Amino acid sequence: MKIAVLGGDGFVGWPTSLHLSDAGHEIHILDNLSRRWIDTELGVQSLTPMDSIQERARIWHAETGRRIHFHLIDLAKDYELLKGWLSKNRPDAIIHFAEQRAAPYSMKSDRHKNYTVSNNVNATHNLLNALVELDLDAHLVHLGTMGVYGYSTVGAAIPEGYLPVGIETADGRTVSQEILYPSNPGSIYHMTKCLDQQLFQFYAKNDGLRITDLHQGIVWGTHTEQTRRHMQLINRFDYDGDYGTVLNRFLIQAAIGYPLTVHGTGGQTRAFIHIQDSVRCIEIALSNPPARSSRVEIFNQMTETHRVRDLAEMISKMTGSRIAWLPNPRKEAPENELVVRNEKFLGLGLEPTTLGEGLLGEIVDVAKKYAYRVDRSRVPAVSAWTRDIAAKVEHDPEGVRLKSVS
Ligand code: USQ
């Protein structure tokens, strides 16, 4: 297949591009390299040294003889360029990763909120609009988030996208329907993914577009089979307070002797997936497109759930790290239960890579290898969800959020 990978320079986009190229597909990365610019804005860099996208593609070609093509396009702003590219290349499938994906970054300031909404929603809408305009029947696979469901405990398993409901009519009958699970975003970033869902519903219904939305959990790990092949194919690995995600952050913190930064009681339960499974799920989704004019296909792309404090305690036991119990900069439920249905991917052959000491140890080793690149002052999560929360916390000299001053 000819596949356009939008956002193919990012944390999941890059290993996905390699994985699909390795499987024999023709890969075109469309990216505006915004993630690299955001590193510069934040004054932080990936823990692992990353080459330019052109250099990465050159190394991939030298290693495998396969080409990954790169096109510098801003999907949110360059509609005509995007349309022109799609019209000329007419890909069979499109994978859409091209969104600002960090919740703390999206909550940093009014400017970051505006940027996240306009970037994410415009990118998605420009793409859908162009597909209709060009009468292009490419299967669109979108990287969504488990966060669209929210994290309130409901005492029932989260279904894969759709919730069966009974609606009482005026004459007393009950009509059965399947509706999109009520969205309940916990950040501006998560909200943009909820808005994406609405755009997908409309375009699937109105124009018959074939769309798959993957509700992914928190990705952990860094290597995949292909990124291991050459040191310059290495994936990015974020550790900072805005882009680092919880499990990877704890592992890096353990490697550099920094206390594990648990927000609140650590009672937050979240869904997780290893990066190797993430790329495999995308391949499975690509092979199972919905029919034209059918509803949006939704998969829950996760393999296990964990409570934040259990992860911290496990890593602390494994590495001897201290745990810092910190005031939570986010507005979120302090404790929640989470049961998620994921039979669809399992039924299509996914064999989950679950949390085990071996893989966790490997990540700590990667982190130790590159520990010299860590700026410790960038480890704390300083983006507060509300002004009230921002006023209640302060930092100790090492930069760790330690005490509440209210
Ligand atoms: N947390 C800590 N300590 C830290 C960092 C995070 O306790 O040092 C807590 C947070 O307060 C939160 C949980 O860990 O309760 C998860 O935070 P996260 O930063 O790992 O994940 P999140 O902000 O939810 O976002 C990440 C990705 C996003 C993806 C989402 C999937 O950045 O792109 O959509 O995971 S999900 O969480 O299922 O919504």
Side-chain angles (χ1 to χ4, degrees), residues 101-104 144-147 151 189-190 216-219 243-247 249-250 253 261-263 268 270-271 308 328 330 332:
R101 68 101 182 137
T145 176
M146 282 294 301
Y151 290 106
Y189 151 71
H190 287 100
Q216 183 165 252
I218 300 171
V219 182
Y243 275 88
T245 51
V246 66
L247 179 51
R249 262 165 75 73
F250 288 171
Q253 290 164 355
T261 55
V262 173
H263 297 163
Q268 308 92 317
R270 295 291 182 270
V308 166
N328 195 341
R330 306 186 185 202
E332 60 185 358

PDB file of all heavy atoms in Angstrom, residues 101-104 144-147 151 189-190 216-219 243-247 249-250 253 261-263 268 270-271 308 328 330 332, ligand 1:
ATOM      1  N   ARG A 101       0.183  16.540  21.192  1.00  0.00           N
ATOM      2  CA  ARG A 101      -0.343  15.413  21.962  1.00  0.00           C
ATOM      3  C   ARG A 101      -0.141  15.478  23.478  1.00  0.00           C
ATOM      4  O   ARG A 101      -0.463  14.511  24.190  1.00  0.00           O
ATOM      5  CB  ARG A 101       0.225  14.113  21.417  1.00  0.00           C
ATOM      6  CG  ARG A 101       1.719  13.898  21.630  1.00  0.00           C
ATOM      7  CD  ARG A 101       2.004  12.974  22.776  1.00  0.00           C
ATOM      8  NE  ARG A 101       3.407  12.785  23.027  1.00  0.00           N
ATOM      9  CZ  ARG A 101       3.922  12.790  24.251  1.00  0.00           C
ATOM     10  NH1 ARG A 101       3.151  12.986  25.305  1.00  0.00           N
ATOM     11  NH2 ARG A 101       5.213  12.595  24.429  1.00  0.00           N
ATOM     12  N   ALA A 102       0.390  16.579  24.001  1.00  0.00           N
ATOM     13  CA  ALA A 102       0.653  16.605  25.445  1.00  0.00           C
ATOM     14  C   ALA A 102      -0.402  17.411  26.194  1.00  0.00           C
ATOM     15  O   ALA A 102      -0.632  18.591  25.889  1.00  0.00           O
ATOM     16  CB  ALA A 102       2.038  17.174  25.721  1.00  0.00           C
ATOM     17  N   ALA A 103      -1.011  16.767  27.200  1.00  0.00           N
ATOM     18  CA  ALA A 103      -2.008  17.472  28.012  1.00  0.00           C
ATOM     19  C   ALA A 103      -1.379  18.642  28.779  1.00  0.00           C
ATOM     20  O   ALA A 103      -1.905  19.765  28.730  1.00  0.00           O
ATOM     21  CB  ALA A 103      -2.699  16.488  28.949  1.00  0.00           C
ATOM     22  N   PRO A 104      -0.232  18.456  29.479  1.00  0.00           N
ATOM     23  CA  PRO A 104       0.335  19.603  30.225  1.00  0.00           C
ATOM     24  C   PRO A 104       0.712  20.764  29.307  1.00  0.00           C
ATOM     25  O   PRO A 104       0.502  21.929  29.657  1.00  0.00           O
ATOM     26  CB  PRO A 104       1.579  19.008  30.900  1.00  0.00           C
ATOM     27  CG  PRO A 104       1.319  17.530  30.969  1.00  0.00           C
ATOM     28  CD  PRO A 104       0.530  17.213  29.736  1.00  0.00           C
ATOM     29  N   GLY A 144      -6.316   8.439  18.236  1.00  0.00           N
ATOM     30  CA  GLY A 144      -7.106   9.131  19.265  1.00  0.00           C
ATOM     31  C   GLY A 144      -6.574   8.752  20.635  1.00  0.00           C
ATOM     32  O   GLY A 144      -5.433   8.299  20.772  1.00  0.00           O
ATOM     33  N   THR A 145      -7.393   8.904  21.651  1.00  0.00           N
ATOM     34  CA  THR A 145      -6.917   8.676  23.019  1.00  0.00           C
ATOM     35  C   THR A 145      -7.982   8.015  23.890  1.00  0.00           C
ATOM     36  O   THR A 145      -9.190   8.275  23.713  1.00  0.00           O
ATOM     37  CB  THR A 145      -6.487  10.015  23.657  1.00  0.00           C
ATOM     38  OG1 THR A 145      -6.116   9.791  25.015  1.00  0.00           O
ATOM     39  CG2 THR A 145      -7.596  11.053  23.634  1.00  0.00           C
ATOM     40  N   MET A 146      -7.538   7.223  24.846  1.00  0.00           N
ATOM     41  CA  MET A 146      -8.453   6.682  25.854  1.00  0.00           C
ATOM     42  C   MET A 146      -9.073   7.818  26.676  1.00  0.00           C
ATOM     43  O   MET A 146     -10.124   7.658  27.290  1.00  0.00           O
ATOM     44  CB  MET A 146      -7.690   5.753  26.810  1.00  0.00           C
ATOM     45  CG  MET A 146      -7.384   4.373  26.276  1.00  0.00           C
ATOM     46  SD  MET A 146      -8.874   3.394  26.000  1.00  0.00           S
ATOM     47  CE  MET A 146      -9.568   3.379  27.644  1.00  0.00           C
ATOM     48  N   GLY A 147      -8.370   8.948  26.703  1.00  0.00           N
ATOM     49  CA  GLY A 147      -8.832  10.095  27.488  1.00  0.00           C
ATOM     50  C   GLY A 147     -10.158  10.680  27.020  1.00  0.00           C
ATOM     51  O   GLY A 147     -10.751  11.490  27.741  1.00  0.00           O
ATOM     52  N   TYR A 151     -12.009   9.829  33.175  1.00  0.00           N
ATOM     53  CA  TYR A 151     -11.539   8.863  34.172  1.00  0.00           C
ATOM     54  C   TYR A 151     -12.387   8.871  35.424  1.00  0.00           C
ATOM     55  O   TYR A 151     -11.880   8.824  36.533  1.00  0.00           O
ATOM     56  CB  TYR A 151     -10.054   9.127  34.476  1.00  0.00           C
ATOM     57  CG  TYR A 151      -9.199   8.760  33.298  1.00  0.00           C
ATOM     58  CD1 TYR A 151      -8.634   9.721  32.494  1.00  0.00           C
ATOM     59  CD2 TYR A 151      -9.027   7.423  32.977  1.00  0.00           C
ATOM     60  CE1 TYR A 151      -7.890   9.358  31.385  1.00  0.00           C
ATOM     61  CE2 TYR A 151      -8.286   7.043  31.876  1.00  0.00           C
ATOM     62  CZ  TYR A 151      -7.725   8.023  31.083  1.00  0.00           C
ATOM     63  OH  TYR A 151      -7.004   7.660  29.987  1.00  0.00           O
ATOM     64  N   TYR A 189      -6.015  19.392  25.423  1.00  0.00           N
ATOM     65  CA  TYR A 189      -5.554  18.402  24.426  1.00  0.00           C
ATOM     66  C   TYR A 189      -6.601  17.300  24.246  1.00  0.00           C
ATOM     67  O   TYR A 189      -6.992  16.975  23.127  1.00  0.00           O
ATOM     68  CB  TYR A 189      -4.205  17.790  24.852  1.00  0.00           C
ATOM     69  CG  TYR A 189      -4.053  16.387  24.325  1.00  0.00           C
ATOM     70  CD1 TYR A 189      -3.841  16.169  22.955  1.00  0.00           C
ATOM     71  CD2 TYR A 189      -4.215  15.268  25.153  1.00  0.00           C
ATOM     72  CE1 TYR A 189      -3.773  14.882  22.448  1.00  0.00           C
ATOM     73  CE2 TYR A 189      -4.148  13.982  24.647  1.00  0.00           C
ATOM     74  CZ  TYR A 189      -3.925  13.797  23.300  1.00  0.00           C
ATOM     75  OH  TYR A 189      -3.887  12.531  22.790  1.00  0.00           O
ATOM     76  N   HIS A 190      -7.035  16.699  25.362  1.00  0.00           N
ATOM     77  CA  HIS A 190      -8.012  15.607  25.257  1.00  0.00           C
ATOM     78  C   HIS A 190      -9.309  16.102  24.617  1.00  0.00           C
ATOM     79  O   HIS A 190      -9.970  15.382  23.885  1.00  0.00           O
ATOM     80  CB  HIS A 190      -8.292  15.003  26.639  1.00  0.00           C
ATOM     81  CG  HIS A 190      -7.165  14.162  27.176  1.00  0.00           C
ATOM     82  ND1 HIS A 190      -6.260  14.637  28.102  1.00  0.00           N
ATOM     83  CD2 HIS A 190      -6.793  12.886  26.917  1.00  0.00           C
ATOM     84  CE1 HIS A 190      -5.372  13.673  28.387  1.00  0.00           C
ATOM     85  NE2 HIS A 190      -5.678  12.611  27.684  1.00  0.00           N
ATOM     86  N   GLN A 216      -6.074   5.288  22.102  1.00  0.00           N
ATOM     87  CA  GLN A 216      -4.847   4.721  22.664  1.00  0.00           C
ATOM     88  C   GLN A 216      -4.628   5.146  24.113  1.00  0.00           C
ATOM     89  O   GLN A 216      -4.929   6.270  24.510  1.00  0.00           O
ATOM     90  CB  GLN A 216      -3.660   5.164  21.804  1.00  0.00           C
ATOM     91  CG  GLN A 216      -2.331   4.558  22.252  1.00  0.00           C
ATOM     92  CD  GLN A 216      -1.245   4.692  21.206  1.00  0.00           C
ATOM     93  OE1 GLN A 216      -0.855   3.715  20.583  1.00  0.00           O
ATOM     94  NE2 GLN A 216      -0.768   5.892  21.013  1.00  0.00           N
ATOM     95  N   GLY A 217      -4.061   4.249  24.892  1.00  0.00           N
ATOM     96  CA  GLY A 217      -3.673   4.563  26.267  1.00  0.00           C
ATOM     97  C   GLY A 217      -2.291   5.205  26.289  1.00  0.00           C
ATOM     98  O   GLY A 217      -1.768   5.652  25.268  1.00  0.00           O
ATOM     99  N   ILE A 218      -1.673   5.231  27.459  1.00  0.00           N
ATOM    100  CA  ILE A 218      -0.352   5.844  27.619  1.00  0.00           C
ATOM    101  C   ILE A 218       0.700   4.879  27.077  1.00  0.00           C
ATOM    102  O   ILE A 218       0.740   3.718  27.479  1.00  0.00           O
ATOM    103  CB  ILE A 218      -0.081   6.148  29.106  1.00  0.00           C
ATOM    104  CG1 ILE A 218      -1.154   7.116  29.637  1.00  0.00           C
ATOM    105  CG2 ILE A 218       1.320   6.705  29.303  1.00  0.00           C
ATOM    106  CD1 ILE A 218      -1.121   7.311  31.143  1.00  0.00           C
ATOM    107  N   VAL A 219       1.516   5.378  26.165  1.00  0.00           N
ATOM    108  CA  VAL A 219       2.531   4.515  25.553  1.00  0.00           C
ATOM    109  C   VAL A 219       3.775   4.495  26.435  1.00  0.00           C
ATOM    110  O   VAL A 219       4.194   5.525  26.948  1.00  0.00           O
ATOM    111  CB  VAL A 219       2.881   5.032  24.141  1.00  0.00           C
ATOM    112  CG1 VAL A 219       3.903   4.122  23.484  1.00  0.00           C
ATOM    113  CG2 VAL A 219       1.628   5.129  23.290  1.00  0.00           C
ATOM    114  N   TYR A 243       6.033  16.792  28.185  1.00  0.00           N
ATOM    115  CA  TYR A 243       5.861  15.721  27.195  1.00  0.00           C
ATOM    116  C   TYR A 243       6.157  14.316  27.708  1.00  0.00           C
ATOM    117  O   TYR A 243       5.731  13.322  27.109  1.00  0.00           O
ATOM    118  CB  TYR A 243       6.694  16.019  25.933  1.00  0.00           C
ATOM    119  CG  TYR A 243       5.934  16.918  24.996  1.00  0.00           C
ATOM    120  CD1 TYR A 243       6.004  18.297  25.121  1.00  0.00           C
ATOM    121  CD2 TYR A 243       5.080  16.387  24.040  1.00  0.00           C
ATOM    122  CE1 TYR A 243       5.257  19.132  24.302  1.00  0.00           C
ATOM    123  CE2 TYR A 243       4.332  17.204  23.212  1.00  0.00           C
ATOM    124  CZ  TYR A 243       4.426  18.569  23.350  1.00  0.00           C
ATOM    125  OH  TYR A 243       3.678  19.370  22.546  1.00  0.00           O
ATOM    126  N   GLY A 244       6.919  14.220  28.808  1.00  0.00           N
ATOM    127  CA  GLY A 244       7.207  12.885  29.334  1.00  0.00           C
ATOM    128  C   GLY A 244       5.919  12.295  29.892  1.00  0.00           C
ATOM    129  O   GLY A 244       5.163  12.987  30.580  1.00  0.00           O
ATOM    130  N   THR A 245       5.655  11.020  29.603  1.00  0.00           N
ATOM    131  CA  THR A 245       4.452  10.400  30.171  1.00  0.00           C
ATOM    132  C   THR A 245       4.856   9.523  31.358  1.00  0.00           C
ATOM    133  O   THR A 245       6.011   9.159  31.513  1.00  0.00           O
ATOM    134  CB  THR A 245       3.695   9.586  29.105  1.00  0.00           C
ATOM    135  OG1 THR A 245       4.609   8.723  28.470  1.00  0.00           O
ATOM    136  CG2 THR A 245       3.058  10.506  28.084  1.00  0.00           C
ATOM    137  N   VAL A 246       3.872   9.198  32.158  1.00  0.00           N
ATOM    138  CA  VAL A 246       4.158   8.797  33.533  1.00  0.00           C
ATOM    139  C   VAL A 246       5.140   7.633  33.685  1.00  0.00           C
ATOM    140  O   VAL A 246       6.126   7.745  34.406  1.00  0.00           O
ATOM    141  CB  VAL A 246       2.835   8.584  34.312  1.00  0.00           C
ATOM    142  CG1 VAL A 246       2.013   7.424  33.789  1.00  0.00           C
ATOM    143  CG2 VAL A 246       3.101   8.413  35.786  1.00  0.00           C
ATOM    144  N   LEU A 247       4.900   6.528  32.995  1.00  0.00           N
ATOM    145  CA  LEU A 247       5.761   5.362  33.235  1.00  0.00           C
ATOM    146  C   LEU A 247       7.180   5.614  32.713  1.00  0.00           C
ATOM    147  O   LEU A 247       8.170   5.332  33.405  1.00  0.00           O
ATOM    148  CB  LEU A 247       5.122   4.122  32.592  1.00  0.00           C
ATOM    149  CG  LEU A 247       5.880   2.809  32.700  1.00  0.00           C
ATOM    150  CD1 LEU A 247       6.291   2.493  34.127  1.00  0.00           C
ATOM    151  CD2 LEU A 247       5.033   1.663  32.143  1.00  0.00           C
ATOM    152  N   ARG A 249       8.582   8.443  32.407  1.00  0.00           N
ATOM    153  CA  ARG A 249       9.202   9.421  33.320  1.00  0.00           C
ATOM    154  C   ARG A 249       9.758   8.730  34.567  1.00  0.00           C
ATOM    155  O   ARG A 249      10.896   8.971  34.966  1.00  0.00           O
ATOM    156  CB  ARG A 249       8.163  10.473  33.736  1.00  0.00           C
ATOM    157  CG  ARG A 249       8.250  11.754  32.943  1.00  0.00           C
ATOM    158  CD  ARG A 249       7.009  12.590  33.116  1.00  0.00           C
ATOM    159  NE  ARG A 249       6.887  13.286  34.412  1.00  0.00           N
ATOM    160  CZ  ARG A 249       7.607  14.336  34.764  1.00  0.00           C
ATOM    161  NH1 ARG A 249       8.548  14.799  33.980  1.00  0.00           N
ATOM    162  NH2 ARG A 249       7.391  14.955  35.933  1.00  0.00           N
ATOM    163  N   PHE A 250       8.971   7.858  35.155  1.00  0.00           N
ATOM    164  CA  PHE A 250       9.445   7.171  36.371  1.00  0.00           C
ATOM    165  C   PHE A 250      10.732   6.382  36.083  1.00  0.00           C
ATOM    166  O   PHE A 250      11.653   6.348  36.894  1.00  0.00           O
ATOM    167  CB  PHE A 250       8.367   6.219  36.911  1.00  0.00           C
ATOM    168  CG  PHE A 250       7.177   6.909  37.560  1.00  0.00           C
ATOM    169  CD1 PHE A 250       6.047   6.167  37.925  1.00  0.00           C
ATOM    170  CD2 PHE A 250       7.176   8.284  37.814  1.00  0.00           C
ATOM    171  CE1 PHE A 250       4.946   6.787  38.531  1.00  0.00           C
ATOM    172  CE2 PHE A 250       6.078   8.907  38.418  1.00  0.00           C
ATOM    173  CZ  PHE A 250       4.967   8.157  38.774  1.00  0.00           C
ATOM    174  N   GLN A 253      13.547   8.831  35.712  1.00  0.00           N
ATOM    175  CA  GLN A 253      13.852   9.390  37.037  1.00  0.00           C
ATOM    176  C   GLN A 253      14.656   8.379  37.853  1.00  0.00           C
ATOM    177  O   GLN A 253      15.644   8.733  38.516  1.00  0.00           O
ATOM    178  CB  GLN A 253      12.547   9.782  37.749  1.00  0.00           C
ATOM    179  CG  GLN A 253      11.881  10.994  37.100  1.00  0.00           C
ATOM    180  CD  GLN A 253      10.416  11.183  37.496  1.00  0.00           C
ATOM    181  OE1 GLN A 253       9.832  10.361  38.203  1.00  0.00           O
ATOM    182  NE2 GLN A 253       9.822  12.273  37.022  1.00  0.00           N
ATOM    183  N   THR A 261       8.077  11.163  40.663  1.00  0.00           N
ATOM    184  CA  THR A 261       7.157  12.288  40.865  1.00  0.00           C
ATOM    185  C   THR A 261       5.688  11.843  40.784  1.00  0.00           C
ATOM    186  O   THR A 261       5.031  12.024  39.761  1.00  0.00           O
ATOM    187  CB  THR A 261       7.432  13.375  39.810  1.00  0.00           C
ATOM    188  OG1 THR A 261       7.354  12.754  38.500  1.00  0.00           O
ATOM    189  CG2 THR A 261       8.800  13.997  39.959  1.00  0.00           C
ATOM    190  N   VAL A 262       5.187  11.318  41.883  1.00  0.00           N
ATOM    191  CA  VAL A 262       3.777  10.896  41.899  1.00  0.00           C
ATOM    192  C   VAL A 262       2.890  12.105  42.195  1.00  0.00           C
ATOM    193  O   VAL A 262       3.104  12.809  43.182  1.00  0.00           O
ATOM    194  CB  VAL A 262       3.547   9.804  42.969  1.00  0.00           C
ATOM    195  CG1 VAL A 262       2.062   9.486  43.106  1.00  0.00           C
ATOM    196  CG2 VAL A 262       4.336   8.555  42.622  1.00  0.00           C
ATOM    197  N   HIS A 263       1.904  12.345  41.339  1.00  0.00           N
ATOM    198  CA  HIS A 263       0.957  13.444  41.561  1.00  0.00           C
ATOM    199  C   HIS A 263      -0.143  12.993  42.511  1.00  0.00           C
ATOM    200  O   HIS A 263      -0.862  12.039  42.213  1.00  0.00           O
ATOM    201  CB  HIS A 263       0.306  13.886  40.247  1.00  0.00           C
ATOM    202  CG  HIS A 263       1.276  14.439  39.248  1.00  0.00           C
ATOM    203  ND1 HIS A 263       0.963  14.579  37.905  1.00  0.00           N
ATOM    204  CD2 HIS A 263       2.538  14.914  39.394  1.00  0.00           C
ATOM    205  CE1 HIS A 263       1.991  15.108  37.280  1.00  0.00           C
ATOM    206  NE2 HIS A 263       2.972  15.311  38.147  1.00  0.00           N
ATOM    207  N   GLN A 268      -4.625   7.512  40.567  1.00  0.00           N
ATOM    208  CA  GLN A 268      -5.133   7.580  39.198  1.00  0.00           C
ATOM    209  C   GLN A 268      -4.838   6.257  38.483  1.00  0.00           C
ATOM    210  O   GLN A 268      -3.688   5.823  38.453  1.00  0.00           O
ATOM    211  CB  GLN A 268      -4.458   8.714  38.409  1.00  0.00           C
ATOM    212  CG  GLN A 268      -4.481  10.084  39.070  1.00  0.00           C
ATOM    213  CD  GLN A 268      -3.250  10.355  39.922  1.00  0.00           C
ATOM    214  OE1 GLN A 268      -2.792   9.499  40.665  1.00  0.00           O
ATOM    215  NE2 GLN A 268      -2.732  11.550  39.832  1.00  0.00           N
ATOM    216  N   ARG A 270      -4.796   4.300  34.891  1.00  0.00           N
ATOM    217  CA  ARG A 270      -4.737   4.628  33.470  1.00  0.00           C
ATOM    218  C   ARG A 270      -4.491   3.367  32.647  1.00  0.00           C
ATOM    219  O   ARG A 270      -4.044   2.348  33.155  1.00  0.00           O
ATOM    220  CB  ARG A 270      -3.607   5.636  33.187  1.00  0.00           C
ATOM    221  CG  ARG A 270      -3.794   7.016  33.832  1.00  0.00           C
ATOM    222  CD  ARG A 270      -4.942   7.781  33.186  1.00  0.00           C
ATOM    223  NE  ARG A 270      -5.130   9.126  33.746  1.00  0.00           N
ATOM    224  CZ  ARG A 270      -5.918   9.415  34.777  1.00  0.00           C
ATOM    225  NH1 ARG A 270      -6.595   8.448  35.385  1.00  0.00           N
ATOM    226  NH2 ARG A 270      -6.051  10.662  35.202  1.00  0.00           N
ATOM    227  N   ALA A 271      -4.752   3.496  31.345  1.00  0.00           N
ATOM    228  CA  ALA A 271      -4.527   2.392  30.413  1.00  0.00           C
ATOM    229  C   ALA A 271      -3.147   2.557  29.779  1.00  0.00           C
ATOM    230  O   ALA A 271      -2.722   3.680  29.503  1.00  0.00           O
ATOM    231  CB  ALA A 271      -5.609   2.427  29.339  1.00  0.00           C
ATOM    232  N   VAL A 308      -1.146   4.684  39.182  1.00  0.00           N
ATOM    233  CA  VAL A 308       0.137   5.396  39.164  1.00  0.00           C
ATOM    234  C   VAL A 308       1.005   5.011  40.365  1.00  0.00           C
ATOM    235  O   VAL A 308       2.204   4.754  40.231  1.00  0.00           O
ATOM    236  CB  VAL A 308      -0.116   6.926  39.093  1.00  0.00           C
ATOM    237  CG1 VAL A 308       1.138   7.716  39.408  1.00  0.00           C
ATOM    238  CG2 VAL A 308      -0.667   7.300  37.716  1.00  0.00           C
ATOM    239  N   ASN A 328      -0.857  17.614  43.219  1.00  0.00           N
ATOM    240  CA  ASN A 328      -1.156  17.353  41.803  1.00  0.00           C
ATOM    241  C   ASN A 328      -1.360  18.655  41.032  1.00  0.00           C
ATOM    242  O   ASN A 328      -2.249  19.439  41.370  1.00  0.00           O
ATOM    243  CB  ASN A 328      -2.416  16.486  41.702  1.00  0.00           C
ATOM    244  CG  ASN A 328      -2.566  15.872  40.318  1.00  0.00           C
ATOM    245  OD1 ASN A 328      -1.947  16.348  39.356  1.00  0.00           O
ATOM    246  ND2 ASN A 328      -3.374  14.842  40.207  1.00  0.00           N
ATOM    247  N   ARG A 330      -2.609  18.855  38.204  1.00  0.00           N
ATOM    248  CA  ARG A 330      -3.763  18.683  37.315  1.00  0.00           C
ATOM    249  C   ARG A 330      -5.072  18.679  38.104  1.00  0.00           C
ATOM    250  O   ARG A 330      -5.080  18.329  39.283  1.00  0.00           O
ATOM    251  CB  ARG A 330      -3.679  17.346  36.562  1.00  0.00           C
ATOM    252  CG  ARG A 330      -2.385  17.164  35.819  1.00  0.00           C
ATOM    253  CD  ARG A 330      -2.440  15.900  34.987  1.00  0.00           C
ATOM    254  NE  ARG A 330      -1.145  15.669  34.360  1.00  0.00           N
ATOM    255  CZ  ARG A 330      -0.956  14.928  33.275  1.00  0.00           C
ATOM    256  NH1 ARG A 330      -1.987  14.326  32.700  1.00  0.00           N
ATOM    257  NH2 ARG A 330       0.237  14.768  32.766  1.00  0.00           N
ATOM    258  N   GLU A 332      -7.936  16.467  38.322  1.00  0.00           N
ATOM    259  CA  GLU A 332      -8.361  15.122  37.913  1.00  0.00           C
ATOM    260  C   GLU A 332      -8.787  14.361  39.162  1.00  0.00           C
ATOM    261  O   GLU A 332      -8.414  14.742  40.275  1.00  0.00           O
ATOM    262  CB  GLU A 332      -7.225  14.376  37.191  1.00  0.00           C
ATOM    263  CG  GLU A 332      -5.973  14.198  38.037  1.00  0.00           C
ATOM    264  CD  GLU A 332      -4.788  13.572  37.282  1.00  0.00           C
ATOM    265  OE1 GLU A 332      -4.912  13.226  36.102  1.00  0.00           O
ATOM    266  OE2 GLU A 332      -3.717  13.431  37.910  1.00  0.00           O
TER     267      GLU A 332
HETATM  268  N1  USQ B   1       1.477  11.635  36.477  1.00  0.00           N
HETATM  269  C1  USQ B   1       2.168  11.538  37.670  1.00  0.00           C
HETATM  270  N2  USQ B   1       3.465  11.910  37.672  1.00  0.00           N
HETATM  271  C2  USQ B   1       4.127  12.347  36.553  1.00  0.00           C
HETATM  272  C3  USQ B   1       3.410  12.422  35.350  1.00  0.00           C
HETATM  273  C4  USQ B   1       2.079  12.060  35.351  1.00  0.00           C
HETATM  274  O1  USQ B   1       1.633  11.145  38.698  1.00  0.00           O
HETATM  275  O2  USQ B   1       5.329  12.670  36.657  1.00  0.00           O
HETATM  276  C5  USQ B   1       0.042  11.249  36.440  1.00  0.00           C
HETATM  277  C6  USQ B   1      -0.872  12.328  35.891  1.00  0.00           C
HETATM  278  O3  USQ B   1      -1.276  13.239  36.892  1.00  0.00           O
HETATM  279  C7  USQ B   1      -1.997  11.500  35.313  1.00  0.00           C
HETATM  280  C8  USQ B   1      -1.309  10.207  34.833  1.00  0.00           C
HETATM  281  O4  USQ B   1      -0.065  10.185  35.530  1.00  0.00           O
HETATM  282  O5  USQ B   1      -2.902  11.142  36.300  1.00  0.00           O
HETATM  283  C9  USQ B   1      -1.064  10.137  33.358  1.00  0.00           C
HETATM  284  O6  USQ B   1      -0.314  11.243  32.910  1.00  0.00           O
HETATM  285  P1  USQ B   1       0.547  11.165  31.567  1.00  0.00           P
HETATM  286  O7  USQ B   1       1.286  12.442  31.404  1.00  0.00           O
HETATM  287  O8  USQ B   1       1.334   9.915  31.564  1.00  0.00           O
HETATM  288  O9  USQ B   1      -0.585  10.952  30.448  1.00  0.00           O
HETATM  289  P2  USQ B   1      -1.638  11.964  29.784  1.00  0.00           P
HETATM  290  O10 USQ B   1      -1.418  13.372  30.169  1.00  0.00           O
HETATM  291  O11 USQ B   1      -2.990  11.407  30.053  1.00  0.00           O
HETATM  292  O12 USQ B   1      -1.337  11.871  28.225  1.00  0.00           O
HETATM  293  C10 USQ B   1      -0.665  10.763  27.602  1.00  0.00           C
HETATM  294  C11 USQ B   1      -0.204  11.220  26.215  1.00  0.00           C
HETATM  295  C12 USQ B   1      -1.424  11.534  25.360  1.00  0.00           C
HETATM  296  C13 USQ B   1      -2.359  10.326  25.326  1.00  0.00           C
HETATM  297  C14 USQ B   1      -2.748   9.912  26.741  1.00  0.00           C
HETATM  298  C15 USQ B   1      -3.530   8.637  26.779  1.00  0.00           C
HETATM  299  O13 USQ B   1       0.648  12.354  26.305  1.00  0.00           O
HETATM  300  O14 USQ B   1      -1.012  11.873  24.044  1.00  0.00           O
HETATM  301  O15 USQ B   1      -3.520  10.619  24.599  1.00  0.00           O
HETATM  302  O16 USQ B   1      -1.534   9.658  27.505  1.00  0.00           O
HETATM  303  S1  USQ B   1      -4.643   8.587  28.136  1.00  0.00           S
HETATM  304  O17 USQ B   1      -3.903   8.884  29.375  1.00  0.00           O
HETATM  305  O18 USQ B   1      -5.197   7.252  28.181  1.00  0.00           O
HETATM  306  O19 USQ B   1      -5.643   9.618  27.939  1.00  0.00           O
END
